[in-house]
Amino acid sequence: MSLDPITLAVLAGRMEQIADEMDATLFRAAFNPIIAEAHDASHGLYHAETGETLVQGKTGLPIFVGVMAFAVKAVIDKAAEQGGPQPGDVWIFNDAHMGGTHLSDMRLVRPYFRDGELFCWLASVGHWHDVGGAVPGNYNPAATEAFQEAVVIPPVRLVRGGEVQTDVLDILMRNTRLPMSAEGDLNGQLGALDLGVRRLDALLDEYGAGTVQAALAALGDRAETLLRQAVAALPDGRWEAEDFLDNDGIAPEALPIRVALQIEGERLRLDFAGTAGGVTGPINIARPTAIACVYVAIKHLFPSLPANAGVLRPIDIAIPEDSLLSAEFPTPTGGYTETILRMIDVIFSAAAEAAPERAIANAYGTINALSIAGKRRDGRRWVMFSFYGGGHGATAESDGLNHGNAPISMATIPPVEILESAYPVAFRQWALRPDSAGAGARRGGLGATYEIEVLEENGAEVFFFGERGRFAPKGVAGGAEGACNRFTFQQGDGWAAPPLVSKMVGIRLRQGQRVRLETPGGGGYGPAAARPARDVARDVALGYLSEGAADAGHGAAWREERA
């Protein structure tokens, strides 16, 4: 069926709005701040047979675009083994090797039927606050197998014909430290799927299934065409980049991630040969996650592309077997965020050689997953898990964003007021980190400094999973590196740091003791000597840059501007 451009645009907007409304429904209903405030969740529509992403909303996490296609396909295969899906069914699972990312991300997948025929799938994914495992909050940098990270749930039918299977629900709630939070998040996801069904019913009632199906096909083709055109406008060639992870949380050795970016006409090839092999610790990622990460990087480089699987058609992705980018069960994958951020960094660095005008310097490159947990005086458990911001990389057009969130998502950093009201902690500092940005004609964004005090009289235990403690975010086109990550904590004899720099478990804090996190700044763009003196003077006046750092990076001309 051929659609006129106006109808196609209207249907595209309507379907995107369905996904947006599903996102908003979960954000308003979720119990845990990582979904309700940070928006670590996503919803979309997926192909009836292949599971490919058809539509995703603007507020969901981009990393889920690629991985959810694998998650839905896993449910399609499981449903086929069980006689096929029925109206009202919902499958739930968190197995990262089947559906990507890590075990904290709980996936719900529901078939959508029209006139007795399977039309598409709806899916919801959200980061639950705690799913069992050895570490509250599930970011366990010492894990050597998936079972130490969380309970592993394969695709199982949670709702059958509209009826919740209470035995499955009982298993889920028994395997979390925070069952009230988990059940609240689950009900929020089920409610989002219910809303999606109602909105799809209304859309198909108005336009008909054939017209909507044609629009979905056209949107995928349009995404493919747009990327082909964008790639064809770049020069043919091959460019390489390399960066490193600090360690795997078990052994101290640095781990390389390498990429070769090749352009031939309308096709783009990314080859990750030379990347470190699989490791013992939890920074491995499954192949679906690696593929989704490529999508996120490409979407940053070409931001006008629609959010569907058509984007991936002109891209060849070569991922070595037995590498930390192709983990098999039960290899731990809890720190997937750190690895995909480094993948994005090397793709950006290679792209900077191919197309300097599109270049983006490295962002801070770690979510700095920090869990602080304990028991209240009345015996109730509490787990404060959150991620923290840093500086983004500069571009040819602008300085990097100060204190942004990681470029793998649309998530936000939970507000300090929410965290302090929910948990027995006080943030004694939440500020921009001076001298953390990479210098350049355009400087990187500033990182941040957080200092958190434990208020609970029973004390607390701290778990930290970060990166960029040894290898700073890189600049491009002659720009300088940002500052490295730094994590310290108070003990009886003063401040201490993790032996493995950016990862540690089992830190005991007494009431009144603190942890301090100083996050990296983004890399700079272009030589620092080319930065206008007035901009340097402004950075000094705002406290972004100390006078000594300004002199060292830019010379003394800025002082005349200040005078």
Side-chain angles (χ1 to χ4, degrees):
M1 181 183 295
S2 177
L3 295 178
D4 64 89
I6 294 176
T7 301
L8 179 59
V10 169
L11 287 172
R14 285 281 297 271
M15 289 185 285
E16 187 177 278
Q17 178 65 22
I18 291 172
D20 286 343
E21 283 195 68
M22 292 168 72
D23 286 343
T25 298
L26 178 56
F27 298 157
R28 292 175 66 87
F31 279 35
N32 98 71
I34 299 303
I35 297 178
E37 298 292 337
H39 295 176
D40 193 346
S42 183
H43 297 82
L45 314 181
Y46 301 86
H47 193 278
E49 297 175 1
T50 66
E52 289 184 341
T53 303
L54 300 173
V55 175
Q56 187 189 16
K58 297 184 295 294
T59 53
L61 268 66
I63 191 65
F64 290 142
V65 172
V67 296
M68 285 306 291
F70 290 91
V72 174
K73 184 60 167 66
V75 169
I76 290 172
D77 293 342
K78 177 58 69 173
E81 295 173 5
Q82 300 172 340
Q86 300 298 321
D89 288 350
V90 179
W91 278 262
I92 187 170
F93 78 108
N94 70 343
D95 191 327
H97 299 83
M98 295 176 130
T101 64
H102 58 177
L103 296 171
S104 298
D105 294 332
M106 198 64 74
R107 296 162 176 81
L108 274 66
V109 180
R110 176 173 177 169
Y112 174 76
F113 286 84
R114 184 70 174 181
D115 298 328
E117 298 292 329
L118 181 63
F119 182 84
C120 69
W121 295 80
L122 300 171
S124 169
V125 55
H127 182 122
W128 286 18
H129 212 161
D130 184 271
V131 198
V135 167
N138 305 126
Y139 262 88
N140 181 5
T144 58
E145 57 182 5
F147 309 111
Q148 296 166 346
E149 297 180 308
V151 61
V152 183
I153 308 295
V156 294
R157 203 166 345 204
L158 172 67
V159 183
R160 187 183 296 271
E163 294 293 326
V164 174
Q165 307 301 290
T166 56
D167 51 353
V168 176
L169 181 63
D170 290 345
I171 292 171
L172 290 169
M173 295 305 112
R174 192 66 168 176
N175 281 279
T176 172
R177 297 170 178 86
L178 303 168
M180 182 180 293
S181 174
E183 189 164 6
D185 294 344
L186 173 60
N187 287 331
Q189 289 183 266
L190 290 171
L193 292 173
D194 284 342
L195 178 83
V197 168
R198 295 197 301 273
R199 294 292 185 265
L200 272 174
D201 282 343
L203 180 66
L204 270 65
D205 286 346
E206 183 175 351
Y207 284 92
T211 300
V212 175
Q213 199 71 268
L216 290 169
L219 291 172
D221 293 342
R222 181 170 180 268
E224 177 184 0
T225 298
L226 288 173
L227 183 57
R228 286 185 182 277
Q229 291 173 347
V231 171
L234 300 176
D236 285 0
R238 177 185 171 92
W239 300 269
E240 298 182 2
E242 176 186 62
D243 209 332
F244 295 87
L245 294 165
D246 292 341
N247 51 65
D248 72 343
I250 305 298
E253 287 78 20
L255 301 163
I257 293 182
R258 299 188 177 101
V259 70
L261 183 153
Q262 186 170 344
I263 296 173
E264 293 183 359
E266 296 182 342
R267 293 204 67 82
L268 175 67
R269 177 177 173 82
L270 293 166
D271 187 347
F272 293 91
T275 293
V279 293
T280 303
I283 62 166
N284 304 279
I285 63 175
R287 186 178 295 271
T289 310
I291 293 171
C293 178
V294 169
Y295 167 82
V296 173
I298 296 302
K299 192 74 169 64
H300 276 286
L301 293 170
F302 306 101
S304 63
L305 294 172
N308 66 56
V311 170
L312 294 173
R313 294 176 195 167
I315 305 174
D316 299 315
I317 305 170
I319 299 171
E321 298 293 336
D322 301 321
S323 78
L324 62 80
L325 309 182
S326 55
E328 298 288 344
F329 185 79
T331 305
T333 62
Y336 88 97
T337 50
E338 311 307 295
T339 304
I340 63 174
L341 283 168
R342 203 63 65 252
M343 286 181 68
I344 290 174
D345 286 341
V346 296
I347 293 171
F348 283 0
S349 295
E353 301 294 325
E357 72 282 358
R358 292 186 178 272
I360 307 170
N362 290 175
Y364 65 106
T366 173
I367 72 162
N368 277 327
L370 178 63
S371 294
I372 306 177
K375 286 188 177 181
R376 301 180 189 269
R377 279 172 292 180
D378 60 6
R380 289 182 298 128
R381 302 196 71 154
W382 61 277
V383 180
M384 188 187 87
F385 168 80
S386 188
F387 38 78
Y388 297 87
H392 279 227
T395 70
E397 298 178 351
S398 66
D399 292 340
L401 175 68
N402 294 334
H403 188 223
N405 199 14
I408 55 174
S409 75
M410 298 298 290
T412 61
I413 303 159
V416 61
E417 295 85 356
I418 296 296
L419 296 175
E420 286 187 336
S421 66
Y423 310 109
V425 301
F427 281 78
R428 300 307 184 191
Q429 189 172 7
W430 181 308
L432 295 178
R433 179 186 178 188
D435 295 339
S436 59
R442 301 288 190 179
R443 63 159 173 77
L446 272 70
T449 300
Y450 307 88
E451 194 167 295
I452 308 169
E453 180 180 336
V454 173
L455 302 181
E456 174 58 54
E457 66 181 27
N458 292 325
E461 195 169 11
V462 177
F463 307 86
F464 180 63
F465 200 140
E467 266 293 334
R468 284 295 189 201
R470 295 172 60 190
F471 302 96
K474 294 181 179 181
V476 297
E481 296 179 341
C484 279
N485 205 17
R486 185 161 56 203
F487 174 73
T488 53
F489 52 94
Q490 284 185 320
Q491 297 289 269
D493 54 354
W495 289 87
L500 289 178
V501 183
S502 55
K503 302 174 184 67
M504 191 169 179
V505 299
I507 302 167
R508 294 294 311 177
L509 295 185
R510 300 192 306 271
Q511 184 182 30
Q513 289 185 323
R514 305 179 182 184
V515 295
R516 182 187 297 136
L517 180 57
E518 298 166 87
T519 69
Y525 182 99
R531 187 167 181 79
R534 65 179 180 278
D535 291 346
V536 179
R538 180 176 179 273
D539 286 345
V540 174
L542 291 171
Y544 296 172
L545 194 63
S546 66
E547 293 188 5
D551 288 340
H554 303 278
W558 68 271
R559 293 180 179 274
E560 297 178 7
E561 289 288 332
R562 184 176 64 175

